Amino acid sequence: MKSRILELLINTDEYLSGSKVASELNISRAAVWKHIKVLKQEGYNIESLSSKGYKLSNYERKLNKYELEILLRKLGLDLNVHYLKTVDSTNTYAKKIDDKSAIIVAEEQTGGRGRLGRVWSSRRGSGIYFTLMIRPDIHPNIVGMVTQITAVALKRSIGSKAMIKWPNDIFIGDKKIAGVLTELISEINVVERLIVGVGVNISSVKDLSDIATSYSEEGLNFDPFEFFESFLSNFFEMLYEFNKSKDLCFLKEEIDNNSYFMDRDVNIVGSNKEYVFRGITTSGNAILEELDGKIEEMFFGELSLKRR
Ligand code: BTN
């Protein structure tokens, strides 16, 4: 409700009377007043005049629960918003909530997790950390492809310099700018919840400068609202397509054209065998060509550029 009141105030330069807000939102004037009080405590400069009503002044958009709710309404997305100052991990949090679907955004994580048991550095101000918790009507056997949909949504949002490092890291040059940790809770045939966690580096990542980059290091401007608008609209449009096609046919060309590994010599991490990366299958597997021309498909794991 607070986000609806805020939206009304953002969209008018005039004073809005308490009774107008109340009737528009079908709540009492006392309830309006209570919500306004909380919005003021959150730092919004709302003038109140008993004769005229409420007016928002010196408004600056800031990332919080209310403004994310306004954005989601604009995008027509039905996700509950959890905006947290601090949390161990937004993915872990997403496993505990009962919502039908949600987005969890944290300003910092004290136990940020990466793929393959790694730590994801999550200091306040240096990155954006969020998780989508959804319950898609997709068979658990193919739901893994959603990680590559996430990578494409990230690539489109970060921009032309970003490349997809199979399966779902985002690189600029030879350094990582964003990563995805997808987790699944399911029964044999039914996805109970799909947890898609995303970390994006905004400013330099301490002690990791040889392997990680960020918006600021790349000279890119980061606007959280532009980012979320682009990421969420792209992600849910692609998820809708995927629900129909049940494969990545509609994305294969884009993924291949933006692949960090495309036609390069690679090793599977932990093995010395050499391959040339030849893109992905329509199921999202990596196509690896051995030196004798034999083709292998890789479903899960990690690749690195061939050591020289
Ligand atoms: C990786 O590249 O290894 C995946 C990194 C994923 C990090 C994000 S930050 C938000 C969400 N919460 C976590 O604990 N991890 C993911």
Side-chain angles (χ1 to χ4, degrees):
M1 196 49 76
K2 288 173 199 66
S3 75
R4 290 195 181 270
I5 296 176
L6 181 62
E7 195 172 8
L8 288 175
L9 290 170
I10 290 170
N11 290 334
T12 177
D13 295 333
E14 309 293 312
Y15 274 89
L16 265 182
S17 75
S19 54
K20 182 142 191 248
V21 177
S23 72
E24 199 135 329
L25 300 177
N26 215 3
I27 55 174
S28 69
R29 283 175 61 186
V32 173
W33 179 80
K34 272 193 198 153
H35 291 307
I36 294 264
K37 210 171 131 195
V38 176
L39 287 170
K40 281 182 172 177
Q41 283 160 359
E42 294 282 333
Y44 291 101
N45 194 346
I46 302 171
E47 296 163 33
S48 23
L49 284 181
S50 49
S51 55
K52 291 182 169 175
Y54 305 105
K55 185 172 168 226
L56 180 64
S57 53
N58 306 327
Y59 167 62
E60 272 177 36
R61 209 174 180 193
K62 50 179 169 242
L63 195 62
N64 59 27
K65 176 177 164 67
Y66 314 122
E67 307 247 10
L68 277 168
E69 284 175 354
I70 294 173
L71 175 66
L72 292 175
R73 269 200 297 281
K74 174 179 160 193
L75 300 178
L77 294 174
D78 184 17
L79 299 170
N80 288 348
V81 177
H82 298 252
Y83 186 87
L84 311 166
K85 296 267 174 227
T86 184
V87 71
D88 51 354
S89 152
T90 52
N91 271 33
T92 308
Y93 185 96
K95 291 180 186 168
K96 297 180 197 154
I97 53 176
D98 288 329
D99 311 30
K100 191 163 97 345
S101 53
I103 179 166
I104 302 110
V105 181
E107 291 181 2
E108 70 168 1
Q109 298 183 116
T110 51
R113 295 185 284 115
R115 282 180 75 223
L116 309 169
R118 295 184 187 126
V119 167
W120 186 260
S121 163
S122 310
R123 285 182 309 130
R124 182 180 301 274
S126 78
I128 192 121
Y129 320 109
F130 69 97
T131 295
L132 290 175
M133 193 282 277
I134 51 176
R135 302 177 190 271
D137 186 14
I138 297 173
H139 195 279
N141 286 349
I142 60 167
V143 81
M145 286 182 241
V146 175
T147 54
Q148 285 179 46
I149 289 176
T150 314
V152 176
L154 277 172
K155 187 261 158 331
R156 290 184 188 171
S157 308
I158 296 171
S160 56
K161 284 162 80 179
M163 303 293 276
I164 299 168
K165 178 173 171 276
W166 185 89
N168 55 13
D169 284 345
I170 304 298
F171 267 46
I172 292 186
D174 287 319
K175 294 181 180 180
K176 180 158 163 172
I177 188 164
V180 183
L181 174 64
T182 312
E183 297 179 273
L184 176 65
I185 300 179
S186 86
E187 291 174 18
I188 288 179
N189 289 317
V190 187
V191 170
E192 205 256 295
R193 62 179 79 193
L194 180 65
I195 291 162
V196 181
V198 177
V200 184
N201 303 329
I202 307 304
S203 61
S204 70
V205 187
K206 217 175 153 197
D207 304 329
L208 294 174
S209 58
D210 46 339
I211 54 167
T213 188
S214 63
Y215 267 74
S216 63
E217 278 152 303
E218 297 299 329
L220 298 169
N221 176 48
F222 182 75
D223 175 329
F225 292 98
E226 270 174 28
F227 173 83
F228 275 117
E229 178 159 356
S230 165
F231 177 82
L232 293 170
S233 55
N234 276 297
F235 177 87
F236 283 101
E237 270 165 32
M238 286 186 270
L239 192 63
Y240 178 77
E241 277 307 311
F242 177 60
N243 240 317
K244 289 191 285 179
S245 63
K246 309 287 186 217
D247 66 23
L248 296 176
C249 252
F250 68 107
L251 283 183
K252 176 180 160 47
E253 199 179 322
E254 182 174 355
I255 294 176
D256 284 350
N257 287 341
N258 291 288
S259 168
Y260 171 75
F261 285 131
M262 197 64 184
D263 296 331
R264 298 172 85 179
D265 297 339
V266 295
N267 298 116
I268 296 175
V269 171
S271 128
N272 283 328
K273 211 164 154 187
E274 286 171 29
Y275 303 89
V276 181
F277 185 90
R278 297 292 188 203
I280 61 153
T281 67
T282 54
S283 313
N285 297 345
I287 303 172
L288 301 179
E289 187 181 322
E290 293 182 37
L291 296 180
D292 61 5
K294 219 173 99 205
I295 296 291
E296 243 183 57
E297 274 187 36
M298 183 171 166
F299 164 67
F300 175 80
E302 197 175 23
L303 295 171
S304 62
L305 285 183
K306 192 185 133 193
R307 285 179 290 277
R308 302 207 175 263

